[in-house]
Amino acid sequence: MSERAPKTPPAALERARVPAGVLDVLERLQEAGFEAYLVGGCVRDLVTGRVPNDWDVATQAIPAEVQRLFRKVIPTGVAHGTVTVLVSGGQVEVTTYRVEAGYADGRRPDRVEFRRDLVEDLARRDFSINAMAFDPKSGELRDPFGGLEDLARRTVRCVGDAVARFGEDGLRPLRAVRFATVLDFALDPATEAAIPGAVSVFRKVAQERVRDEFLKLLLSPGVERGLRLLASTGLLAAAFPELVPAVASGVRAQVAAVPGRVEVRLAALLASVPAPEAVLERLRLPGRTMEEVRALLAHPVPEDAPGWSDADVRRWAARLGAPRVDDALWVAAAAGLKAADEVRAQVDRVLASRPPLTVRDLALDGRGVMDVLGVGPSPVVGEATQWLLQQVLEAPANNTEEALRRLLSVWGEARGLKRGAPG
Ligand code: ATP
Ligand code: MG
C-alpha cells in the first residue's frame, strides 16, 4: 500500500475549527509517544466546510494505554479498540488502529486486530472520503486512498474492490447510497455496479443498523434522489418491499416537500402505503416517534377539508392532537390537498383562539360532573365528560362551569340520572 505523494491540505483544513477538548486528547496521546489523528467523518466534514457531528480519533495506543492517559473515560468497546474520552463540552471516541478479519456472516467481523500503522486502519474503512486522517496540530493530512480527489469529484468510491468490500459488510451498499444522498455526490461506477450483487449480504444486516442509515437518508434534503437510488439499486425491495410501489410513483417528491423531521417525513412516506405498520415495526423507532407517526397516519387532513366548518376543524384537531396539526397539514399539502393554503389559514385562525380540545380543557372537572349527576366514580362519568367535550368542540362558548352544569343536568335527566340519586 503505497501512500500517494502528500498534497497540500485544502484551505478549509487550515481554517478548521477543532474544539479545544479534542485538541487536548490528540496532544496528550502524542506527548505520550503515540501517533494520533482525527479520522473518518469529521475529517471529511472539515475538508468540505461542514460542522462534524462527532469527533473520532485513531491512535497507536491500545485501549488500556488510552484509559491510563485520561481521567474520564468510558470503556465503550474496549475489545474492538474503542474508548470514549469525556472532554469539556463533549466526548471523543478514541480507537486503536485496527484491522477487521473474517467477515463470515457479512454482518460483523469475527475479530479485530490492533495495528501500529495508520494506513492499515484507513484501509479497512468503507469509502475513500471516509478514509483520511488529519492532525490539526501539524496540519498534516494522510490520504492514501484518494479521498481528497473524490471529494473534489463529488464521488462516493469504495476503498479497494467494491465487490469484496460489500461482501464483507452488507451495510456498506446502503451507506454508499446514504452518503451519495446526504452529500449530493455521485456513486463511482464500480461502486454502484457492485450494489445489486451485494443485496443478499445486505439482507443479513441487523435492522437497527439499516434504520440508522435509512433515517439519515430520509432526513436529507436530497431524499428524493436518495429514494430513487435505493429503488434502482435493489436495496429498497430488500429492506422495505412495501415501499416499492409508492416510491415508484409520486411519493418521493412528497417526502422531500415536508420538513426534515423523522415523524413528518415518515408520515409523508407512508401516507399512501397500504400496510405502513409493517414498515414501522421493522424500523424499531422509539415509542414516542411511532406514536407520532401513527397519529398522523390515523387522522390525516381529509379531502373535504376545504369545505370544513370551524367546528369540523376543532373536532379534527381534537382527534389528532393540536401539536401535530402543523405536520398533518404539511403531509396533506405535499400529497396535493386542494386549497391547502386556505385550509391552513382556517386551521391557524380557529386554533389561534386556543379553543378547548381535550377533557383537561373543560371548565367542569370529574368532581363537578359527579356532583351534577349525583354519582360516584363510575363509567358514566367518562361518558358524560366525552359528551361535554363534543359540546364545547361544537361551541367553545359553552366552556364555562355554569353552562356545562346546565347542559349536563339536562343530559343526566334524559338518562334517568338526577342529583342526589344513588350512582
Ligand atoms: P456521519 O457524519 O453520518 O456520522 P461518519 O462518516 O462519521 O458519518 P460513522 O458511521 O460515524 O460515519 O462512522 C465513522 C467512520 O467509521 C466512517 O467515516 C468510516 O471511516 C468508518 N466506518 C463506519 N462504518 C463502516 C463500515 N460499515 N465499514 C467500514 N468503515 C466504516
Ligand atoms: Mg460519525
PDB file of all heavy atoms in Angstrom, residues 39-42 44-45 53-54 56 100 103 124-127 129-131 165 169 171-172 175 178-179 209 213 216, ligand 1:
ATOM      1  N   VAL A  39      -9.918  11.098  12.367  1.00  0.00           N
ATOM      2  CA  VAL A  39     -10.169  10.201  11.226  1.00  0.00           C
ATOM      3  C   VAL A  39     -11.655  10.164  10.881  1.00  0.00           C
ATOM      4  O   VAL A  39     -12.515  10.512  11.692  1.00  0.00           O
ATOM      5  CB  VAL A  39      -9.761   8.729  11.518  1.00  0.00           C
ATOM      6  CG1 VAL A  39      -8.275   8.517  11.413  1.00  0.00           C
ATOM      7  CG2 VAL A  39     -10.308   8.277  12.860  1.00  0.00           C
ATOM      8  N   GLY A  40     -11.910   9.695   9.670  1.00  0.00           N
ATOM      9  CA  GLY A  40     -13.284   9.369   9.261  1.00  0.00           C
ATOM     10  C   GLY A  40     -14.129  10.601   8.963  1.00  0.00           C
ATOM     11  O   GLY A  40     -13.648  11.594   8.418  1.00  0.00           O
ATOM     12  N   GLY A  41     -15.403  10.504   9.397  1.00  0.00           N
ATOM     13  CA  GLY A  41     -16.388  11.521   9.033  1.00  0.00           C
ATOM     14  C   GLY A  41     -15.996  12.941   9.401  1.00  0.00           C
ATOM     15  O   GLY A  41     -16.278  13.876   8.653  1.00  0.00           O
ATOM     16  N   CYS A  42     -15.315  13.121  10.541  1.00  0.00           N
ATOM     17  CA  CYS A  42     -15.004  14.503  10.936  1.00  0.00           C
ATOM     18  C   CYS A  42     -13.983  15.131   9.989  1.00  0.00           C
ATOM     19  O   CYS A  42     -14.056  16.330   9.705  1.00  0.00           O
ATOM     20  CB  CYS A  42     -14.572  14.585  12.403  1.00  0.00           C
ATOM     21  SG  CYS A  42     -13.060  13.712  12.842  1.00  0.00           S
ATOM     22  N   ARG A  44     -13.641  14.322   6.749  1.00  0.00           N
ATOM     23  CA  ARG A  44     -14.443  14.594   5.538  1.00  0.00           C
ATOM     24  C   ARG A  44     -15.236  15.893   5.702  1.00  0.00           C
ATOM     25  O   ARG A  44     -15.243  16.744   4.807  1.00  0.00           O
ATOM     26  CB  ARG A  44     -15.397  13.411   5.324  1.00  0.00           C
ATOM     27  CG  ARG A  44     -16.318  13.519   4.136  1.00  0.00           C
ATOM     28  CD  ARG A  44     -17.452  12.505   4.250  1.00  0.00           C
ATOM     29  NE  ARG A  44     -18.373  12.867   5.315  1.00  0.00           N
ATOM     30  CZ  ARG A  44     -18.838  12.047   6.240  1.00  0.00           C
ATOM     31  NH1 ARG A  44     -18.481  10.781   6.258  1.00  0.00           N
ATOM     32  NH2 ARG A  44     -19.659  12.483   7.174  1.00  0.00           N
ATOM     33  N   ASP A  45     -15.860  16.043   6.866  1.00  0.00           N
ATOM     34  CA  ASP A  45     -16.686  17.227   7.081  1.00  0.00           C
ATOM     35  C   ASP A  45     -15.831  18.494   7.176  1.00  0.00           C
ATOM     36  O   ASP A  45     -16.223  19.548   6.665  1.00  0.00           O
ATOM     37  CB  ASP A  45     -17.523  17.061   8.356  1.00  0.00           C
ATOM     38  CG  ASP A  45     -18.624  16.019   8.177  1.00  0.00           C
ATOM     39  OD1 ASP A  45     -18.960  15.687   7.023  1.00  0.00           O
ATOM     40  OD2 ASP A  45     -19.151  15.533   9.198  1.00  0.00           O
ATOM     41  N   ASN A  53     -20.502  16.069  13.223  1.00  0.00           N
ATOM     42  CA  ASN A  53     -21.413  15.810  14.350  1.00  0.00           C
ATOM     43  C   ASN A  53     -20.766  14.938  15.428  1.00  0.00           C
ATOM     44  O   ASN A  53     -21.292  14.802  16.514  1.00  0.00           O
ATOM     45  CB  ASN A  53     -22.776  15.272  13.894  1.00  0.00           C
ATOM     46  CG  ASN A  53     -22.638  14.108  12.947  1.00  0.00           C
ATOM     47  OD1 ASN A  53     -21.709  13.302  13.070  1.00  0.00           O
ATOM     48  ND2 ASN A  53     -23.524  14.002  11.984  1.00  0.00           N
ATOM     49  N   ASP A  54     -19.647  14.321  15.121  1.00  0.00           N
ATOM     50  CA  ASP A  54     -18.880  13.692  16.189  1.00  0.00           C
ATOM     51  C   ASP A  54     -17.393  13.658  15.820  1.00  0.00           C
ATOM     52  O   ASP A  54     -17.030  13.823  14.670  1.00  0.00           O
ATOM     53  CB  ASP A  54     -19.406  12.301  16.549  1.00  0.00           C
ATOM     54  CG  ASP A  54     -19.808  11.489  15.337  1.00  0.00           C
ATOM     55  OD1 ASP A  54     -19.076  11.542  14.313  1.00  0.00           O
ATOM     56  OD2 ASP A  54     -20.830  10.792  15.396  1.00  0.00           O
ATOM     57  N   ASP A  56     -13.846  11.598  15.942  1.00  0.00           N
ATOM     58  CA  ASP A  56     -13.210  10.296  16.082  1.00  0.00           C
ATOM     59  C   ASP A  56     -11.701  10.450  15.971  1.00  0.00           C
ATOM     60  O   ASP A  56     -11.198  11.089  15.040  1.00  0.00           O
ATOM     61  CB  ASP A  56     -13.696   9.333  14.996  1.00  0.00           C
ATOM     62  CG  ASP A  56     -15.162   8.966  15.187  1.00  0.00           C
ATOM     63  OD1 ASP A  56     -15.553   8.722  16.340  1.00  0.00           O
ATOM     64  OD2 ASP A  56     -15.901   8.941  14.184  1.00  0.00           O
ATOM     65  N   GLU A 100      -9.925  -5.519  10.581  1.00  0.00           N
ATOM     66  CA  GLU A 100     -11.024  -6.427  10.889  1.00  0.00           C
ATOM     67  C   GLU A 100     -10.828  -7.675  10.062  1.00  0.00           C
ATOM     68  O   GLU A 100     -10.421  -7.607   8.911  1.00  0.00           O
ATOM     69  CB  GLU A 100     -12.357  -5.744  10.571  1.00  0.00           C
ATOM     70  CG  GLU A 100     -12.571  -4.564  11.509  1.00  0.00           C
ATOM     71  CD  GLU A 100     -13.638  -3.586  11.076  1.00  0.00           C
ATOM     72  OE1 GLU A 100     -14.114  -3.696   9.927  1.00  0.00           O
ATOM     73  OE2 GLU A 100     -13.969  -2.718  11.885  1.00  0.00           O
ATOM     74  N   TYR A 103     -15.083 -11.796   7.992  1.00  0.00           N
ATOM     75  CA  TYR A 103     -16.495 -11.446   7.957  1.00  0.00           C
ATOM     76  C   TYR A 103     -17.285 -12.669   7.492  1.00  0.00           C
ATOM     77  O   TYR A 103     -17.783 -12.708   6.380  1.00  0.00           O
ATOM     78  CB  TYR A 103     -16.757 -10.326   6.965  1.00  0.00           C
ATOM     79  CG  TYR A 103     -16.206  -8.991   7.360  1.00  0.00           C
ATOM     80  CD1 TYR A 103     -14.915  -8.609   6.986  1.00  0.00           C
ATOM     81  CD2 TYR A 103     -16.974  -8.081   8.069  1.00  0.00           C
ATOM     82  CE1 TYR A 103     -14.418  -7.368   7.309  1.00  0.00           C
ATOM     83  CE2 TYR A 103     -16.482  -6.843   8.389  1.00  0.00           C
ATOM     84  CZ  TYR A 103     -15.203  -6.491   8.012  1.00  0.00           C
ATOM     85  OH  TYR A 103     -14.723  -5.261   8.320  1.00  0.00           O
ATOM     86  N   ARG A 124      -9.267  -0.283   6.137  1.00  0.00           N
ATOM     87  CA  ARG A 124     -10.469  -1.045   6.500  1.00  0.00           C
ATOM     88  C   ARG A 124     -11.726  -0.204   6.377  1.00  0.00           C
ATOM     89  O   ARG A 124     -12.841  -0.690   6.497  1.00  0.00           O
ATOM     90  CB  ARG A 124     -10.348  -1.561   7.929  1.00  0.00           C
ATOM     91  CG  ARG A 124     -10.463  -0.434   8.930  1.00  0.00           C
ATOM     92  CD  ARG A 124     -10.806  -0.871  10.325  1.00  0.00           C
ATOM     93  NE  ARG A 124     -10.645   0.213  11.271  1.00  0.00           N
ATOM     94  CZ  ARG A 124     -11.656   0.959  11.729  1.00  0.00           C
ATOM     95  NH1 ARG A 124     -12.879   0.754  11.311  1.00  0.00           N
ATOM     96  NH2 ARG A 124     -11.408   1.929  12.594  1.00  0.00           N
ATOM     97  N   ARG A 125     -11.561   1.096   6.181  1.00  0.00           N
ATOM     98  CA  ARG A 125     -12.722   1.998   6.151  1.00  0.00           C
ATOM     99  C   ARG A 125     -13.458   1.881   4.829  1.00  0.00           C
ATOM    100  O   ARG A 125     -12.925   1.406   3.842  1.00  0.00           O
ATOM    101  CB  ARG A 125     -12.266   3.423   6.453  1.00  0.00           C
ATOM    102  CG  ARG A 125     -11.749   3.491   7.880  1.00  0.00           C
ATOM    103  CD  ARG A 125     -11.122   4.798   8.260  1.00  0.00           C
ATOM    104  NE  ARG A 125     -10.587   4.693   9.622  1.00  0.00           N
ATOM    105  CZ  ARG A 125     -11.304   4.963  10.719  1.00  0.00           C
ATOM    106  NH1 ARG A 125     -12.529   5.400  10.623  1.00  0.00           N
ATOM    107  NH2 ARG A 125     -10.761   4.796  11.906  1.00  0.00           N
ATOM    108  N   ASP A 126     -14.734   2.296   4.827  1.00  0.00           N
ATOM    109  CA  ASP A 126     -15.583   1.962   3.690  1.00  0.00           C
ATOM    110  C   ASP A 126     -15.289   2.741   2.409  1.00  0.00           C
ATOM    111  O   ASP A 126     -15.108   2.146   1.346  1.00  0.00           O
ATOM    112  CB  ASP A 126     -17.071   2.056   4.073  1.00  0.00           C
ATOM    113  CG  ASP A 126     -17.436   3.302   4.883  1.00  0.00           C
ATOM    114  OD1 ASP A 126     -16.589   4.220   4.994  1.00  0.00           O
ATOM    115  OD2 ASP A 126     -18.576   3.358   5.403  1.00  0.00           O
ATOM    116  N   PHE A 127     -15.236   4.064   2.506  1.00  0.00           N
ATOM    117  CA  PHE A 127     -15.118   4.872   1.290  1.00  0.00           C
ATOM    118  C   PHE A 127     -13.902   5.790   1.385  1.00  0.00           C
ATOM    119  O   PHE A 127     -13.506   6.184   2.483  1.00  0.00           O
ATOM    120  CB  PHE A 127     -16.400   5.689   1.067  1.00  0.00           C
ATOM    121  CG  PHE A 127     -17.624   4.814   1.100  1.00  0.00           C
ATOM    122  CD1 PHE A 127     -18.541   4.891   2.148  1.00  0.00           C
ATOM    123  CD2 PHE A 127     -17.830   3.860   0.108  1.00  0.00           C
ATOM    124  CE1 PHE A 127     -19.641   4.048   2.194  1.00  0.00           C
ATOM    125  CE2 PHE A 127     -18.928   3.012   0.140  1.00  0.00           C
ATOM    126  CZ  PHE A 127     -19.838   3.101   1.193  1.00  0.00           C
ATOM    127  N   ILE A 129     -13.547   8.832   0.862  1.00  0.00           N
ATOM    128  CA  ILE A 129     -13.816  10.109   1.541  1.00  0.00           C
ATOM    129  C   ILE A 129     -13.899   9.942   3.057  1.00  0.00           C
ATOM    130  O   ILE A 129     -13.821  10.926   3.799  1.00  0.00           O
ATOM    131  CB  ILE A 129     -15.126  10.764   1.028  1.00  0.00           C
ATOM    132  CG1 ILE A 129     -16.314   9.806   1.184  1.00  0.00           C
ATOM    133  CG2 ILE A 129     -14.970  11.195  -0.430  1.00  0.00           C
ATOM    134  CD1 ILE A 129     -17.663  10.446   0.857  1.00  0.00           C
ATOM    135  N   ASN A 130     -14.059   8.699   3.527  1.00  0.00           N
ATOM    136  CA  ASN A 130     -14.093   8.411   4.969  1.00  0.00           C
ATOM    137  C   ASN A 130     -12.768   7.827   5.451  1.00  0.00           C
ATOM    138  O   ASN A 130     -12.692   7.344   6.575  1.00  0.00           O
ATOM    139  CB  ASN A 130     -15.205   7.396   5.278  1.00  0.00           C
ATOM    140  CG  ASN A 130     -16.589   7.972   5.106  1.00  0.00           C
ATOM    141  OD1 ASN A 130     -16.746   9.178   5.010  1.00  0.00           O
ATOM    142  ND2 ASN A 130     -17.583   7.100   5.060  1.00  0.00           N
ATOM    143  N   ALA A 131     -11.779   7.804   4.598  1.00  0.00           N
ATOM    144  CA  ALA A 131     -10.524   7.112   4.927  1.00  0.00           C
ATOM    145  C   ALA A 131      -9.336   8.062   4.932  1.00  0.00           C
ATOM    146  O   ALA A 131      -8.233   7.738   4.498  1.00  0.00           O
ATOM    147  CB  ALA A 131     -10.299   5.963   3.939  1.00  0.00           C
ATOM    148  N   ARG A 165     -15.519  -5.453  -0.723  1.00  0.00           N
ATOM    149  CA  ARG A 165     -15.847  -4.653   0.463  1.00  0.00           C
ATOM    150  C   ARG A 165     -17.316  -4.773   0.846  1.00  0.00           C
ATOM    151  O   ARG A 165     -17.666  -4.805   2.020  1.00  0.00           O
ATOM    152  CB  ARG A 165     -15.467  -3.178   0.243  1.00  0.00           C
ATOM    153  CG  ARG A 165     -13.986  -2.924  -0.039  1.00  0.00           C
ATOM    154  CD  ARG A 165     -13.032  -3.614   0.918  1.00  0.00           C
ATOM    155  NE  ARG A 165     -13.282  -3.366   2.329  1.00  0.00           N
ATOM    156  CZ  ARG A 165     -12.994  -2.232   2.974  1.00  0.00           C
ATOM    157  NH1 ARG A 165     -12.433  -1.223   2.349  1.00  0.00           N
ATOM    158  NH2 ARG A 165     -13.238  -2.110   4.253  1.00  0.00           N
ATOM    159  N   ASP A 169     -19.289  -6.609   4.496  1.00  0.00           N
ATOM    160  CA  ASP A 169     -20.261  -5.963   5.379  1.00  0.00           C
ATOM    161  C   ASP A 169     -21.409  -5.442   4.519  1.00  0.00           C
ATOM    162  O   ASP A 169     -21.242  -4.465   3.781  1.00  0.00           O
ATOM    163  CB  ASP A 169     -19.579  -4.822   6.149  1.00  0.00           C
ATOM    164  CG  ASP A 169     -20.551  -4.052   7.046  1.00  0.00           C
ATOM    165  OD1 ASP A 169     -21.764  -4.349   7.027  1.00  0.00           O
ATOM    166  OD2 ASP A 169     -20.087  -3.145   7.770  1.00  0.00           O
ATOM    167  N   LEU A 171     -23.890  -3.726   5.144  1.00  0.00           N
ATOM    168  CA  LEU A 171     -24.433  -2.385   5.368  1.00  0.00           C
ATOM    169  C   LEU A 171     -23.809  -1.371   4.399  1.00  0.00           C
ATOM    170  O   LEU A 171     -24.390  -0.337   4.103  1.00  0.00           O
ATOM    171  CB  LEU A 171     -24.164  -1.935   6.808  1.00  0.00           C
ATOM    172  CG  LEU A 171     -24.829  -0.603   7.194  1.00  0.00           C
ATOM    173  CD1 LEU A 171     -26.350  -0.741   7.244  1.00  0.00           C
ATOM    174  CD2 LEU A 171     -24.306  -0.078   8.530  1.00  0.00           C
ATOM    175  N   ARG A 172     -22.613  -1.673   3.926  1.00  0.00           N
ATOM    176  CA  ARG A 172     -21.880  -0.677   3.121  1.00  0.00           C
ATOM    177  C   ARG A 172     -22.629  -0.217   1.866  1.00  0.00           C
ATOM    178  O   ARG A 172     -22.559   0.979   1.540  1.00  0.00           O
ATOM    179  CB  ARG A 172     -20.489  -1.213   2.774  1.00  0.00           C
ATOM    180  CG  ARG A 172     -19.585  -1.233   4.007  1.00  0.00           C
ATOM    181  CD  ARG A 172     -18.231  -1.843   3.719  1.00  0.00           C
ATOM    182  NE  ARG A 172     -17.492  -2.019   4.975  1.00  0.00           N
ATOM    183  CZ  ARG A 172     -16.542  -2.907   5.170  1.00  0.00           C
ATOM    184  NH1 ARG A 172     -16.182  -3.732   4.183  1.00  0.00           N
ATOM    185  NH2 ARG A 172     -15.934  -2.996   6.335  1.00  0.00           N
ATOM    186  N   ARG A 175     -24.820   2.418   3.026  1.00  0.00           N
ATOM    187  CA  ARG A 175     -24.042   3.603   3.394  1.00  0.00           C
ATOM    188  C   ARG A 175     -23.598   4.364   2.152  1.00  0.00           C
ATOM    189  O   ARG A 175     -23.580   5.600   2.147  1.00  0.00           O
ATOM    190  CB  ARG A 175     -22.835   3.219   4.258  1.00  0.00           C
ATOM    191  CG  ARG A 175     -23.216   2.916   5.715  1.00  0.00           C
ATOM    192  CD  ARG A 175     -22.051   2.404   6.554  1.00  0.00           C
ATOM    193  NE  ARG A 175     -20.905   3.296   6.674  1.00  0.00           N
ATOM    194  CZ  ARG A 175     -20.785   4.278   7.591  1.00  0.00           C
ATOM    195  NH1 ARG A 175     -21.755   4.506   8.447  1.00  0.00           N
ATOM    196  NH2 ARG A 175     -19.696   5.009   7.645  1.00  0.00           N
ATOM    197  N   ARG A 178     -26.488   6.308   1.140  1.00  0.00           N
ATOM    198  CA  ARG A 178     -26.739   7.354   2.129  1.00  0.00           C
ATOM    199  C   ARG A 178     -25.772   8.534   1.955  1.00  0.00           C
ATOM    200  O   ARG A 178     -26.181   9.699   1.931  1.00  0.00           O
ATOM    201  CB  ARG A 178     -26.617   6.765   3.541  1.00  0.00           C
ATOM    202  CG  ARG A 178     -27.047   7.695   4.654  1.00  0.00           C
ATOM    203  CD  ARG A 178     -25.930   8.484   5.273  1.00  0.00           C
ATOM    204  NE  ARG A 178     -25.163   7.725   6.251  1.00  0.00           N
ATOM    205  CZ  ARG A 178     -24.302   8.286   7.091  1.00  0.00           C
ATOM    206  NH1 ARG A 178     -24.087   9.586   7.067  1.00  0.00           N
ATOM    207  NH2 ARG A 178     -23.606   7.529   7.923  1.00  0.00           N
ATOM    208  N   PHE A 179     -24.476   8.238   1.800  1.00  0.00           N
ATOM    209  CA  PHE A 179     -23.515   9.342   1.636  1.00  0.00           C
ATOM    210  C   PHE A 179     -23.748  10.076   0.314  1.00  0.00           C
ATOM    211  O   PHE A 179     -23.671  11.306   0.265  1.00  0.00           O
ATOM    212  CB  PHE A 179     -22.073   8.823   1.724  1.00  0.00           C
ATOM    213  CG  PHE A 179     -21.642   8.523   3.143  1.00  0.00           C
ATOM    214  CD1 PHE A 179     -21.314   7.229   3.531  1.00  0.00           C
ATOM    215  CD2 PHE A 179     -21.559   9.529   4.092  1.00  0.00           C
ATOM    216  CE1 PHE A 179     -20.923   6.940   4.837  1.00  0.00           C
ATOM    217  CE2 PHE A 179     -21.167   9.258   5.403  1.00  0.00           C
ATOM    218  CZ  PHE A 179     -20.847   7.958   5.780  1.00  0.00           C
ATOM    219  N   ARG A 209     -29.045  -1.205  12.357  1.00  0.00           N
ATOM    220  CA  ARG A 209     -28.023  -0.550  11.528  1.00  0.00           C
ATOM    221  C   ARG A 209     -28.661  -0.010  10.246  1.00  0.00           C
ATOM    222  O   ARG A 209     -28.312   1.087   9.796  1.00  0.00           O
ATOM    223  CB  ARG A 209     -26.891  -1.530  11.182  1.00  0.00           C
ATOM    224  CG  ARG A 209     -26.123  -2.063  12.388  1.00  0.00           C
ATOM    225  CD  ARG A 209     -25.023  -3.042  11.949  1.00  0.00           C
ATOM    226  NE  ARG A 209     -23.874  -2.371  11.367  1.00  0.00           N
ATOM    227  CZ  ARG A 209     -23.040  -2.931  10.483  1.00  0.00           C
ATOM    228  NH1 ARG A 209     -23.245  -4.175  10.089  1.00  0.00           N
ATOM    229  NH2 ARG A 209     -22.014  -2.261  10.012  1.00  0.00           N
ATOM    230  N   GLU A 213     -29.015   4.267   9.016  1.00  0.00           N
ATOM    231  CA  GLU A 213     -28.621   4.806   7.714  1.00  0.00           C
ATOM    232  C   GLU A 213     -29.838   5.316   6.945  1.00  0.00           C
ATOM    233  O   GLU A 213     -29.802   6.385   6.336  1.00  0.00           O
ATOM    234  CB  GLU A 213     -27.898   3.732   6.881  1.00  0.00           C
ATOM    235  CG  GLU A 213     -26.600   3.225   7.493  1.00  0.00           C
ATOM    236  CD  GLU A 213     -25.524   4.302   7.600  1.00  0.00           C
ATOM    237  OE1 GLU A 213     -25.516   5.239   6.779  1.00  0.00           O
ATOM    238  OE2 GLU A 213     -24.703   4.218   8.530  1.00  0.00           O
ATOM    239  N   LYS A 216     -30.991   8.702   8.141  1.00  0.00           N
ATOM    240  CA  LYS A 216     -30.129   9.807   7.693  1.00  0.00           C
ATOM    241  C   LYS A 216     -30.460  10.185   6.249  1.00  0.00           C
ATOM    242  O   LYS A 216     -30.475  11.349   5.877  1.00  0.00           O
ATOM    243  CB  LYS A 216     -28.652   9.433   7.836  1.00  0.00           C
ATOM    244  CG  LYS A 216     -28.188   9.453   9.291  1.00  0.00           C
ATOM    245  CD  LYS A 216     -26.719   9.132   9.461  1.00  0.00           C
ATOM    246  CE  LYS A 216     -26.367   9.193  10.954  1.00  0.00           C
ATOM    247  NZ  LYS A 216     -24.964   8.898  11.241  1.00  0.00           N
TER     248      LYS A 216
HETATM  249  P1  ATP B   1     -21.708  10.744   9.993  1.00  0.00           P
HETATM  250  O1  ATP B   1     -21.265  12.123   9.731  1.00  0.00           O
HETATM  251  O2  ATP B   1     -23.057  10.460   9.449  1.00  0.00           O
HETATM  252  O3  ATP B   1     -21.528  10.296  11.419  1.00  0.00           O
HETATM  253  P2  ATP B   1     -19.402   9.106   9.526  1.00  0.00           P
HETATM  254  O4  ATP B   1     -18.522   9.008   8.319  1.00  0.00           O
HETATM  255  O5  ATP B   1     -18.821   9.706  10.744  1.00  0.00           O
HETATM  256  O6  ATP B   1     -20.724   9.835   9.092  1.00  0.00           O
HETATM  257  P3  ATP B   1     -19.917   6.824  11.134  1.00  0.00           P
HETATM  258  O7  ATP B   1     -20.970   5.772  10.942  1.00  0.00           O
HETATM  259  O8  ATP B   1     -19.993   7.712  12.296  1.00  0.00           O
HETATM  260  O9  ATP B   1     -19.903   7.657   9.793  1.00  0.00           O
HETATM  261  O10 ATP B   1     -18.520   6.063  11.097  1.00  0.00           O
HETATM  262  C1  ATP B   1     -17.282   6.714  11.359  1.00  0.00           C
HETATM  263  C2  ATP B   1     -16.209   6.189  10.417  1.00  0.00           C
HETATM  264  O11 ATP B   1     -16.013   4.779  10.616  1.00  0.00           O
HETATM  265  C3  ATP B   1     -16.537   6.327   8.942  1.00  0.00           C
HETATM  266  O12 ATP B   1     -16.183   7.594   8.447  1.00  0.00           O
HETATM  267  C4  ATP B   1     -15.706   5.215   8.328  1.00  0.00           C
HETATM  268  O13 ATP B   1     -14.353   5.593   8.210  1.00  0.00           O
HETATM  269  C5  ATP B   1     -15.791   4.124   9.375  1.00  0.00           C
HETATM  270  N1  ATP B   1     -16.927   3.206   9.151  1.00  0.00           N
HETATM  271  C6  ATP B   1     -18.157   3.278   9.697  1.00  0.00           C
HETATM  272  N2  ATP B   1     -18.932   2.262   9.316  1.00  0.00           N
HETATM  273  C7  ATP B   1     -18.195   1.494   8.496  1.00  0.00           C
HETATM  274  C8  ATP B   1     -18.420   0.279   7.793  1.00  0.00           C
HETATM  275  N3  ATP B   1     -19.617  -0.323   7.839  1.00  0.00           N
HETATM  276  N4  ATP B   1     -17.394  -0.235   7.066  1.00  0.00           N
HETATM  277  C9  ATP B   1     -16.189   0.377   7.029  1.00  0.00           C
HETATM  278  N5  ATP B   1     -15.916   1.531   7.662  1.00  0.00           N
HETATM  279  C10 ATP B   1     -16.888   2.085   8.394  1.00  0.00           C
END
